[in-house]
């Protein structure tokens, strides 16, 4: 290709109001702030959306600068393969990686899954998140969502047994997974896991801070445990064996769909169950992750359901059933 055939890169910050608020153990927010990378070549445009995560030292403003700094390399011919070494795993690389895939698919008049040699995604059931609050308030929110087959319950430390039991009473038929977002301690880990087992919880996500998760390898785990903050890309998988039963693959952690697909293959080979997860964001951020759904025991792609409004051509949700993206959205 000549330089004129290489794409140009535009980057912007976008904001989407959340219905009410979204609360986890680290705090609450009322809007989703994402960064969108847009690659243009001729008549084709490829897009990718990421959500910078303060837990990993990322901010929208810094992510914007990191992506803007890639314009020259993209204009010189940087491609998706070279991108994997040119940028570290994280939100910024995710946006650009997904934009490259979208652009390549549109340029070849293919769907992204055909381009990548993956099965076409099918409609699947996503978890629906119940934010952290008092037991009474969580029960009230759960009651409104009790018709959904899979609920993800955000927990936060003190009082979690009461929260778990209140949620179970409010949704006796739903499958429950819980996410402590690193809020439990060695002193309450076993009693909280026991409460989850008593309530029939299927999976507990990231109960301990990532630096403390060696304890998970020393106790009997009555409920299967999933790594989130403790797992990022393929390099982090080996150290989790014996501590976790599953891993949560999020594109903002892996640095894009390219690494996420490779990580899913590696995780399965090591015997881990897979959850495909998301940050609170629009359908553009969810769409690439749909390619992982076929590999996943749990799908948690409810971000747009938590927004007051989604972007145009968003994913179609029938209750908790999420459908594959239209090419007008991505891929």
């Amino acid at each position: 290709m000549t330089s004129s055939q290489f794409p140009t890169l535009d980057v912007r910050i976008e904001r989407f109001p959340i219905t009410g608020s979204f609360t986890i153990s680290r705090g609450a927010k009322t809007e989703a702030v994402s960064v969108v990378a847009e690659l243009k070549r001729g008549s084709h445009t490829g897009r990718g959306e990421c959500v910078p995560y303060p837990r990993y030292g990322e901010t929208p403003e810094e992510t914007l600068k990191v992506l803007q700094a890639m314009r020259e390399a993209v204009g010189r011919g940087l491609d998706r393969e070279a991108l994997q070494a040119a940028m570290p795993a994280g939100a910024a690389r995710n946006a650009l990686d997904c934009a490259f895939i979208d652009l390549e698919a549109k340029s070849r008049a293919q769907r992204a899954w055909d381009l990548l040699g993956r099965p076409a995604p099918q409609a699947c059931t996503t978890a629906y998140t119940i934010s952290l609050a008092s037991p009474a308030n969580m029960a009230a929110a759960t009651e409104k969502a009790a018709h959904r087959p899979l609920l993800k319950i955000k927990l936060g430390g003190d009082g979690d047994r009461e929260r778990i039991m209140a949620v179970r009473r409010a949704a006796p038929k739903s499958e429950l997974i819980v996410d402590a977002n690193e809020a439990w301690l060695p002193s309450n880990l076993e009693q909280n896991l026991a409460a989850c087992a008593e309530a029939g919880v299927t999976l507990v996500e990231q109960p301990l801070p990532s630096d403390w998760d060696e304890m998970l390898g020393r106790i009997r785990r009555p409920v299967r445990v999933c790594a989130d903050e403790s797992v990022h890309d393929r390099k982090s998988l080996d150290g989790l064996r014996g501590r976790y039963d599953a891993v949560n693959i999020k594109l903002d952690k892996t640095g894009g769909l390219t690494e996420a697909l490779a990580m899913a293959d590696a995780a399965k080979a090591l015997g881990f169950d897979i959850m495909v997860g998301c940050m609170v964001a629009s359908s553009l951020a969810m769409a690439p992750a749909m390619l992982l759904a076929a590999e996943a025991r749990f799908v948690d792609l409810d971000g747009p359901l938590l927004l007051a409004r989604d972007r145009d051509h968003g994913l179609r949700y029938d209750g908790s059933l999420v459908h594959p993206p239209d090419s007008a959205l991505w891929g």
Side-chain angles (χ1 to χ4, degrees):
M1 282 188 181
T2 65
S3 59
S4 62
Q5 293 175 292
F6 297 135
T8 58
L9 172 62
D10 291 320
V11 192
R12 62 183 178 272
I13 294 174
E14 296 187 350
R15 299 175 185 272
F16 295 87
I18 293 171
T19 302
S21 66
F22 179 77
T23 305
I24 66 172
S25 61
R26 280 188 286 272
K29 59 183 180 180
T30 57
E31 67 174 359
V33 183
S34 63
V35 180
V36 173
E38 208 167 67
L39 291 170
K40 296 181 180 180
R41 185 174 62 220
S43 61
H44 301 294
T45 299
R47 299 183 300 167
E49 177 181 352
C50 71
V51 179
Y53 198 9
R55 168 67 176 79
Y56 307 125
E58 298 174 336
T59 67
E61 294 75 18
E62 184 59 32
T63 300
L64 186 75
K65 291 178 183 178
V66 169
L67 283 167
Q68 288 171 336
M70 297 301 295
R71 282 174 172 161
E72 184 178 349
V74 169
R76 292 198 311 264
L78 179 82
D79 60 13
R80 181 166 57 95
E81 182 177 350
L83 173 68
Q84 309 309 311
M87 296 181 74
R93 195 178 78 187
N94 174 34
L96 193 48
D97 182 76
C98 292
F100 268 120
I101 295 171
D102 190 29
L103 178 63
E104 190 173 351
K106 287 180 168 59
S107 298
R108 298 188 181 192
Q110 284 184 293
R111 294 311 308 264
W113 42 89
D114 296 324
L115 177 73
L116 298 172
R118 295 282 170 162
Q122 305 297 314
C124 59
T125 298
T126 177
Y128 180 81
T129 302
I130 304 297
S131 283
L132 175 66
S134 68
N137 287 342
M138 291 184 73
T142 301
E143 189 173 350
K144 295 176 183 176
H147 63 285
R148 296 183 181 274
L150 178 61
L151 298 177
K152 178 171 178 173
I153 312 304
K154 291 291 188 177
L155 297 178
D158 291 341
D160 276 349
R161 186 182 192 283
E162 291 73 21
R163 293 185 179 99
I164 295 164
M165 295 306 172
V167 163
R168 174 47 83 196
R169 287 191 296 271
K173 296 181 180 180
S174 299
E175 183 177 10
L176 300 183
I177 55 181
V178 306
D179 185 3
N181 286 114
E182 303 182 281
W184 292 356
L185 302 169
S187 58
N188 61 26
L189 172 65
E190 291 182 273
Q191 68 189 51
N192 282 338
L193 287 175
C196 288
E198 183 182 348
V201 170
T202 302
L203 190 76
V204 174
E205 194 177 345
Q206 197 66 42
L208 295 173
S210 59
D211 291 341
W212 298 356
D213 58 11
E214 72 281 352
M215 182 179 179
L216 293 168
R218 303 198 307 265
I219 65 167
R220 187 186 74 83
R221 302 190 297 272
V223 180
R224 295 177 73 77
V225 178
C226 177
D228 183 358
E229 285 86 348
S230 288
V231 65
H232 294 264
D233 53 16
R234 280 174 288 176
K235 297 190 294 291
S236 55
L237 288 172
D238 275 341
L240 304 181
R241 286 188 288 181
R243 301 177 182 181
Y244 292 96
D245 307 290
V247 293
N248 188 344
I249 300 177
K250 293 179 179 175
L251 272 61
D252 283 314
K253 292 187 301 177
T254 65
L257 181 59
T258 300
E259 173 62 22
L261 290 169
M263 180 180 172
D265 293 340
K268 285 177 63 180
L270 291 172
F272 290 109
D273 282 340
I274 293 170
M275 173 189 287
V276 52
C278 69
M279 306 295 285
V280 183
S282 85
S283 285
L284 180 58
M286 308 298 124
M290 287 291 294
L291 275 70
L292 292 161
E295 311 291 334
R297 167 65 178 85
F298 299 98
V299 174
D300 179 22
L301 297 177
D302 65 341
L305 294 177
L306 307 176
L307 300 179
R309 60 171 179 84
D310 195 4
R311 66 174 68 246
D312 292 343
H313 309 292
L315 293 174
R316 179 162 66 93
Y317 290 85
D318 293 325
S320 290
L321 195 69
V322 54
H323 294 264
D326 185 85
S327 60
L329 174 67
W330 182 87

